[in-house]
Amino acid sequence: MGNADECCSTHLIDGDGMFNVHGIENFMKEVKLAECGLSYAVVSIMGPQSSGKSTLLNHLFGTNFREMDAFRGRSQTTKGIWLARCAGIEPCTLVMDLEGTDGRERGEDDTAFEKQSALFALAVSDIVLINMWCHDIGREQAANKPLLKTVFQVMMRLFSPRKTTLMFVIRDKTRTPLENLEPVLREDIQKIWDSVPKPQAHKETPLSEFFNVQVTALSSYEEKEELFKEQVASLRQRFHQSIAPGGLAGDRRAVVPASGFSFSAQQIWKVIKENKDLDLPAHKVMVATVRCEEIANEKFAYFASNEEWCQIEEDVQTVTVPGFGKKLSLIIGSCLSEYDAEAIYFDEGVRSAKREQLEAKLLQLVQPAYQLMLGHIRSGTLDKFKEAFDKVLSGGEGFAVAAHGCTKAFMTQFDEECADAVIEQANWDTSRVRDKLRRDIDAHVAAVRATKLSELTALYEGKLNEGLSGPVEALLDGASNETWPAIRVLLLRETESAILGLSSALSGFDMDEQTKDKMLASLENYARGVVEAKAREEAGRVLIRMKDRFATLFSHDSDSMPRVWTGKEDIRAITKTARSSSLKLLSVMAAIRLDDYTDNIENTLSAALVDNVKSAVTNRSITTVDPLASSTWEEVPPSKTLITPVQCKNLWRQFKMETEYSVTQAIAAQEANKRNNNWLPPPWAIVAMVVLGFNEFMTLLRNPLYLGVIFVAFLLSKALWVQLDIAGEFRHGIVPGMLSLATKLLPTVMNLLRKLAEEGAKPAATDTRGNPPPESKSFRNGVNTSSAVSSSASSEITLENGTEEYSSSSKQD
């Protein structure tokens, strides 16, 4: 039965449900459980309180669990869960003594810990002993019924339960033979199983799918102690080699390697305490994942601190390391072999995956050093190539022959040095570094030629840009019928000159005709691109150009002298001429005409924007199709269109709106000039005034005071006329003029009175000076306006919106 001294135990879970992590770690080290691999078994026992569970375990497995003292009364002895190693049983067998059920210490309602401990036992044990009294068999309310219901109910929380051996140990067997007791017990078990609620997936699952039911009986320990010990010794033999095929735990599933037992038990209890369902296969994988990862991390840390690797890593930062690949291959292989030896008992899928991860981490760790090694080899080979290539060229050897020979020789040398740096486990491809070296060599070979070709291309492109941009802009600015033919002639001349020069320069290079023709064609396309870009740039400013042209032609005569609108000019004819010229500019800028083809853009614009307006005025009832209601011109490709018909229409409308002001101002200036020249009333009005006003005139002569009053009234009226700009206000109609004057009259009168008061407050000494001060003038909004006092001796012509007010004194009249 073994010596009790060989037993080692620990309190795995205390009565409050706290898992003893430190205790189980020490326990595993003491019993050397990690060395057992998969060759170990776990046995647990459950049953009613004070049913002799600890006593049975101590006699059956040689453990030293605390037993109840019968002379002190029946009370709770085992609290929580205790774990011990069985003495003298192979393979290594761990036994768990669970707290008894149905104890008065926890109370009638506190069954949570009982269910948790039962589920824990079923999850980690290969064999579960159910300790029960013989006289309870066959009773409806016997103490074993709640226990069995608890076992079966918690079993349903295992998504994928392990096949557990459920051994019923009948204590204090009576004279009734075991063969008579066993059918009754199995029938009770089946009834309990059938009555327990099950998930939908296990509605029809038989009891045998979850449990391997065994039944044994033992005599009373107190009354027949010797017979009890003999029966226990016989039962003990069944636990030897229990995990072998045909043994008590021969068909166990989801076994966790012994080195992961501590972590597995801790995680299972944590899940149970959190009241979650268990998935044992997933749990097995999780334990394997954690343990294999721990082993892998240990091996990775060992490699990272390896002195030889550290020295290689340090040296490769600056220089190439001879034998780089062989040295690292040996160190990595040693690390992986040690991992395989320690992780052999864990799940194969997890073990292989973690091995691959470890190998990947090791290779990832050494890859920077490997890349540095390849970089040293590549840069060294490139430097040697440049030196050798320059030396060969200096010797007078042909360019192509020298480039080919040196490239082949040094690429072979690179391949030989790369083979020495290869790591066996990595299977890394050096083609990218090789290709980079080849590209670097090719780039060096072509560097001078590429630089010269680039300089030549830039030179002739600059010449084209200089020879085309300015002249094209000038030709487009003076748009006429000869604009685009002149641009085509200019483009042809400049392009032929540039192509001839570049072709002559390229003859000195080793270049095939196709590449040469491509470069010449590219230069020709560049020349066209310069012209098209400049045309598009100018088309974006076409409205400004049109307004500038209109302003130049409208405001200046044929001698480029500014026009003075005296009333004799034909504003309508001048406006038509200026607008026609602007329309001509718009038609020239509407499309790119580098190819010799004809279009009808000018006629279309003229018909739609000029002639169509006349016809619409004469005949408003006839509706015609707008020729500009399109986004393309006839006979003009879209790629050559600069301004679409719709855009032309919008530009013309905006152009007319923005130039209408100049025409209006000219007309207003003419009208003002006419009014200025006809300021006297008709002769008949003068005669009528003399005849009808003779009596009033004589009255004024007899009383000069009236003359003073009338003179003052005239001055005030004249000042108000100038300040309020009465003629300008009534230009837009009587009603708007009256409304505007009503808002401006009172402020203007107050302003005049204030100025008169200021003039009267000045000292009399200012009037004794020999010469009066010059008339003060205020400039407001660009209009030259004389003061109210001096305006009494002048006649003025006021032009709206910023035109000048011309004043002519009475002496000049």
Side-chain angles (χ1 to χ4, degrees):
M1 200 168 64
N3 191 345
D5 294 336
E6 299 178 10
C7 174
C8 178
S9 63
T10 184
H11 199 178
L12 183 63
I13 300 173
D14 62 19
D16 296 327
M18 298 299 296
F19 193 92
N20 187 5
V21 179
H22 182 70
I24 192 173
E25 292 292 341
N26 292 336
F27 173 83
M28 288 183 62
K29 291 178 182 178
E30 190 169 348
V31 303
K32 299 180 181 179
L33 184 61
E35 300 177 3
C36 296
L38 300 177
S39 299
Y40 76 102
V42 181
V43 181
S44 61
I45 188 170
M46 60 178 68
Q49 180 177 302
S50 305
S51 60
K53 298 188 300 300
S54 300
T55 302
L56 174 60
L57 293 179
N58 290 340
H59 285 80
L60 183 60
F61 298 114
T63 55
N64 56 2
F65 294 123
R66 180 184 174 189
E67 301 178 12
M68 184 189 70
D69 189 351
F71 292 100
R72 295 185 177 181
R74 309 184 70 83
S75 62
Q76 186 180 50
T77 306
T78 302
K79 295 182 179 180
I81 300 176
W82 285 79
L83 176 69
R85 176 181 178 178
C86 301
I89 294 181
E90 292 295 335
C92 177
T93 301
L94 305 179
V95 61
M96 291 193 302
D97 188 10
L98 273 65
E99 178 180 315
T101 61
D102 197 23
R104 65 181 178 83
E105 284 79 6
R106 287 197 178 269
E108 182 178 352
D109 298 326
D110 190 6
T111 59
F113 185 81
E114 294 178 6
K115 293 182 178 180
Q116 290 172 352
S117 59
L119 182 57
F120 179 77
L122 288 172
V124 302
S125 301
D126 302 304
I127 305 168
V128 177
L129 303 179
I130 304 295
N131 197 51
M132 59 184 301
W133 300 109
C134 180
H135 53 262
D136 286 336
I137 299 176
R139 295 182 180 178
E140 185 64 26
Q141 301 298 329
N144 65 317
K145 296 292 180 70
L147 176 60
L148 288 177
K149 285 184 178 180
T150 298
V151 170
F152 292 155
Q153 286 173 355
V154 298
M155 196 66 181
M156 292 301 100
R157 292 180 57 189
L158 301 179
F159 277 151
S160 301
R162 52 193 291 169
K163 187 68 175 288
T164 305
T165 298
L166 204 60
M167 177 174 283
F168 289 87
V169 181
I170 302 174
R171 303 292 299 276
D172 294 358
K173 177 180 174 297
T174 60
R175 295 180 180 180
T176 305
L178 179 60
E179 53 269 19
N180 293 338
L181 293 173
E182 185 173 349
V184 177
L185 178 59
R186 289 183 179 274
E187 182 180 355
D188 290 345
I189 294 172
Q190 188 63 45
K191 287 181 180 180
I192 297 173
W193 173 258
D194 294 338
S195 64
V196 170
K198 305 178 186 64
Q200 189 64 34
H202 296 299
K203 285 288 185 182
E204 304 299 330
T205 305
L207 177 66
S208 58
E209 181 69 21
F210 289 158
F211 297 106
N212 177 22
V213 179
Q214 300 283 333
V215 180
T216 187
L218 298 175
S219 299
S220 173
Y221 174 68
E222 295 181 356
E223 298 177 0
K224 301 177 181 180
E225 183 177 353
E226 293 300 326
L227 181 59
F228 172 82
K229 292 180 178 180
E230 291 177 5
Q231 294 170 343
V232 167
S234 175
L235 179 61
R236 175 185 175 85
Q237 297 301 319
R238 300 178 63 183
F239 286 90
H240 285 278
Q241 303 302 326
S242 58
I243 63 174
L248 287 178
D251 55 352
R252 63 180 182 165
R253 306 168 189 169
V255 184
V256 176
S259 61
F261 177 77
S262 170
F263 177 76
S264 174
Q266 182 181 353
Q267 292 300 314
I268 289 176
W269 182 249
K270 179 181 178 181
V271 172
I272 291 172
K273 290 289 287 183
E274 293 174 354
N275 198 24
K276 296 180 180 179
D277 294 333
L278 288 175
D279 188 346
L280 291 184
H283 174 76
K284 175 187 175 183
V285 171
M286 182 268 294
V287 174
T289 301
V290 173
R291 282 297 300 139
C292 290
E293 189 167 345
E294 289 177 353
I295 297 172
N297 290 338
E298 292 175 3
K299 301 311 168 188
F300 182 79
Y302 164 75
F303 179 88
S305 60
N306 184 278
E307 293 183 0
E308 187 175 1
W309 153 245
C310 293
Q311 186 62 44
I312 293 174
E313 185 181 26
E314 181 180 353
D315 294 343
V316 82
Q317 301 295 325
T318 54
V319 296
T320 57
V321 179
F324 178 88
K326 292 182 180 179
K327 294 177 181 178
L328 283 183
S329 297
L330 289 175
I331 303 174
I332 293 174
S334 174
C335 243
L336 294 176
S337 299
E338 293 178 4
Y339 169 85
D340 292 337
E342 294 187 28
I344 188 172
Y345 295 112
F346 289 97
D347 181 82
E348 182 178 359
V350 176
R351 183 176 73 243
S352 300
K354 292 301 178 182
R355 188 185 194 278
E356 292 177 1
Q357 293 180 11
L358 172 61
E359 186 175 358
K361 286 178 64 177
L362 293 174
L363 294 178
Q364 185 179 6
L365 179 64
V366 304
Q367 190 177 27
Y370 178 74
Q371 293 298 331
L372 283 173
M373 185 69 180
L374 292 184
H376 291 322
I377 296 173
R378 181 188 61 80
S379 60
T381 305
L382 181 61
D383 291 340
K384 294 175 184 177
F385 169 81
K386 290 180 179 179
E387 182 180 353
F389 184 62
D390 292 341
K391 186 181 293 184
V392 172
L393 289 179
S394 300
E397 191 171 347
F399 185 89
V401 176
H404 178 73
C406 290
T407 299
K408 183 177 180 181
F410 282 93
M411 291 303 297
T412 302
Q413 179 180 337
F414 172 79
D415 293 337
E416 292 174 355
E417 294 185 10
C418 283
D420 183 62
V422 169
I423 299 174
E424 295 178 6
Q425 295 84 355
N427 194 24
W428 285 324
D429 186 13
T430 60
S431 60
R432 293 182 62 181
V433 181
R434 191 179 193 279
D435 292 342
K436 179 171 176 53
L437 174 62
R438 184 57 185 262
R439 290 195 300 270
D440 291 342
I441 290 176
D442 292 342
H444 178 71
V445 170
V448 176
R449 183 177 62 180
T451 301
K452 292 297 181 181
L453 291 177
S454 177
E455 291 176 354
L456 284 173
T457 302
L459 173 64
Y460 285 98
E461 285 180 353
K463 290 182 177 181
L464 284 172
N465 202 23
E466 182 180 358
L468 291 174
S469 294
V472 167
E473 182 177 352
L475 289 171
L476 290 174
D477 186 34
S480 65
N481 291 331
E482 299 301 322
T483 295
W484 283 107
I487 291 176
R488 288 197 293 269
V489 172
L490 174 67
L491 174 63
L492 181 61
R493 184 179 68 246
E494 293 295 332
T495 302
E496 288 180 350
S497 175
I499 288 178
L500 183 62
L502 181 60
S503 179
S504 177
L506 292 178
S507 61
F509 289 85
D510 186 11
M511 182 182 298
D512 58 276
E513 289 298 324
Q514 184 178 1
T515 304
K516 182 177 179 181
D517 293 341
K518 186 176 180 181
M519 291 185 65
L520 296 177
S522 176
L523 185 63
E524 184 177 358
N525 292 334
Y526 178 81
R528 292 179 66 92
V530 170
V531 175
E532 292 184 1
K534 178 55 67 174
R536 294 184 188 279
E537 180 182 344
E538 293 301 312
R541 298 196 292 263
V542 66
L543 182 60
I544 299 174
R545 299 286 193 191
M546 292 170 64
K547 292 191 294 184
D548 290 345
R549 175 169 290 195
F550 177 86
T552 301
L553 296 178
F554 185 78
S555 302
H556 296 77
D557 57 18
S558 58
D559 297 328
S560 299
M561 296 297 293
R563 294 185 190 275
V564 178
W565 303 105
T566 62
K568 299 177 182 181
E569 296 81 13
D570 187 356
I571 294 180
R572 181 181 299 275
I574 295 172
T575 302
K576 182 178 179 181
T577 302
R579 286 181 176 175
S580 298
S581 182
S582 298
L583 186 65
K584 179 66 178 179
L585 187 146
L586 180 62
S587 66
V588 171
M589 296 297 300
I592 298 173
R593 299 176 178 88
L594 292 181
D595 299 319
D596 191 8
Y597 63 86
T598 58
D599 56 65
N600 204 26
I601 294 178
E602 183 177 359
N603 295 335
T604 303
L605 290 175
S606 179
L609 301 177
V610 179
D611 298 341
N612 192 33
V613 174
K614 294 179 181 179
S615 63
V617 172
T618 58
N619 190 358
R620 302 188 177 211
S621 62
I622 300 176
T623 57
T624 59
V625 178
D626 188 357
L628 298 183
S630 174
S631 61
T632 57
W633 298 104
E634 293 183 4
E635 301 178 357
V636 178
S639 60
K640 303 300 181 183
T641 301
L642 296 178
I643 308 173
T644 64
V646 174
Q647 291 173 338
C648 285
K649 185 176 181 179
N650 294 333
L651 285 170
W652 186 253
R653 184 185 297 113
Q654 187 175 355
F655 164 75
K656 288 184 66 177
M657 290 175 58
E658 295 185 11
T659 57
E660 194 73 30
Y661 175 75
S662 299
V663 178
T664 304
Q665 287 294 90
I667 295 172
Q670 280 190 343
E671 293 177 354
N673 200 341
K674 290 178 181 179
R675 289 195 303 269
N676 187 42
N677 293 334
N678 298 322
W679 62 276
L680 291 175
W684 62 266
I686 296 175
V687 173
M689 291 171 61
V690 170
V691 173
L692 298 175
F694 179 78
N695 294 333
E696 287 78 2
F697 180 69
M698 295 303 295
T699 302
L700 292 176
L701 290 177
R702 294 189 189 100
N703 192 352
L705 180 61
Y706 288 161
L707 289 175
V709 173
I710 291 174
F711 181 71
V712 172
F714 171 74
L715 291 180
L716 291 174
S717 300
K718 185 64 176 180
L720 286 174
W721 183 279
V722 173
Q723 290 292 328
L724 294 175
D725 189 17
I726 294 176
E729 295 293 346
F730 283 97
R731 186 180 301 120
H732 300 290
I734 297 176
V735 176
M738 293 292 291
L739 294 175
S740 178
L741 289 175
T743 59
K744 296 166 61 177
L745 179 61
L746 182 59
T748 304
V749 171
M750 297 299 294
N751 191 28
L752 286 175
L753 293 177
R754 181 178 57 82
K755 288 184 177 180
L756 291 174
E758 291 176 355
E759 291 292 333
K762 290 182 179 180
T766 59
D767 297 333
T768 61
R769 295 179 184 177
N771 296 322
E775 296 175 355
S776 61
K777 297 183 180 180
S778 62
F779 295 88
R780 181 175 54 201
N781 298 327
V783 179
N784 187 3
T785 307
S786 299
S787 66
V789 177
S790 63
S791 64
S792 62
S794 65
S795 61
E796 293 144 7
I797 299 173
T798 304
L799 301 181
E800 187 179 20
N801 297 327
T803 61
E804 293 188 355
E805 295 180 359
Y806 298 94
S807 301
S808 59
S809 65
S810 58
K811 293 180 182 181
Q812 291 173 340
D813 291 338

